[in-house]
Amino acid sequence: MKIQTQSLTGPALDWAVATCEGFVNLHRRELKGYEVPTFVLAMDKGGQGWVEFDTLDYDQDWARSGPIIEQESIGIQMAYPAEDGKPALWYAAKFATSINAPPRAHGPTALVAAMRVYVLSRLGEEVDVPDILLEGK
């Protein structure tokens, strides 16, 4: 299903960032050795082995996303803090390397805003998210 990059959250955002990072082939894998069949979503890091998708928390894990923010020269700024029941709003932009306007995005947290900018700069304004991530919505 096609989703606007600015609307990506949770697993859909994590999938988009993982795709930008070279992960491919999201699919359901059975974990062997359990009494009850256990399945996980997994992605292959370009032929280097499978990683459980749940461990790719780019929208919440500074240790995983921080290097991307630094490498991609993404700046983050709080527009306004959370108050009176309203969530905070963060803006992120990729520093311009040309005369073109840099990609910009916003989000409820600094990491969501930054990862949306990263995806926007790599995959564009709309991404085709695998249906398996949207099941149950």
Side-chain angles (χ1 to χ4, degrees), residues 34-73:
Y34 291 88
E35 286 184 32
V36 177
T38 303
F39 294 92
V40 296
L41 291 178
M43 291 186 86
D44 183 24
K45 178 72 175 195
Q48 298 176 21
W50 293 95
V51 174
E52 288 183 31
F53 180 72
D54 287 348
T55 66
L56 301 176
D57 287 331
Y58 292 103
D59 64 338
Q60 297 179 28
D61 186 352
W62 280 94
R64 190 173 291 281
S65 299
I68 295 170
I69 292 168
E70 185 175 328
Q71 167 194 314
E72 296 293 316
S73 298

Side-chain angles (χ1 to χ4, degrees), residues 1 4-5 21 32 34-35 38-39 49-50 55-56 62-63 66 77 81 91 93 101 106 114 116-117 123 127 133-134:
M1 169 186 261
Q4 293 293 312
T5 300
E21 287 292 288
K32 305 288 184 189
Y34 291 88
E35 286 184 32
T38 303
F39 294 92
W50 293 95
T55 66
L56 301 176
W62 280 94
Q77 179 178 348
Y91 284 107
H106 64 274
R116 284 177 177 170
V117 164
L123 302 179
V127 293
L133 294 177
L134 303 173

Side-chain angles (χ1 to χ4, degrees), residues 5 8 13-24 43 45 58 68 71-72 115-124 127:
T5 300
L8 291 172
L13 179 57
D14 289 335
W15 170 84
V17 174
T19 299
C20 294
E21 287 292 288
F23 286 90
V24 295
M43 291 186 86
K45 178 72 175 195
Y58 292 103
I68 295 170
Q71 167 194 314
E72 296 293 316
M115 293 302 96
R116 284 177 177 170
V117 164
Y118 179 48
V119 172
L120 181 63
S121 72
R122 296 286 179 103
L123 302 179
V127 293

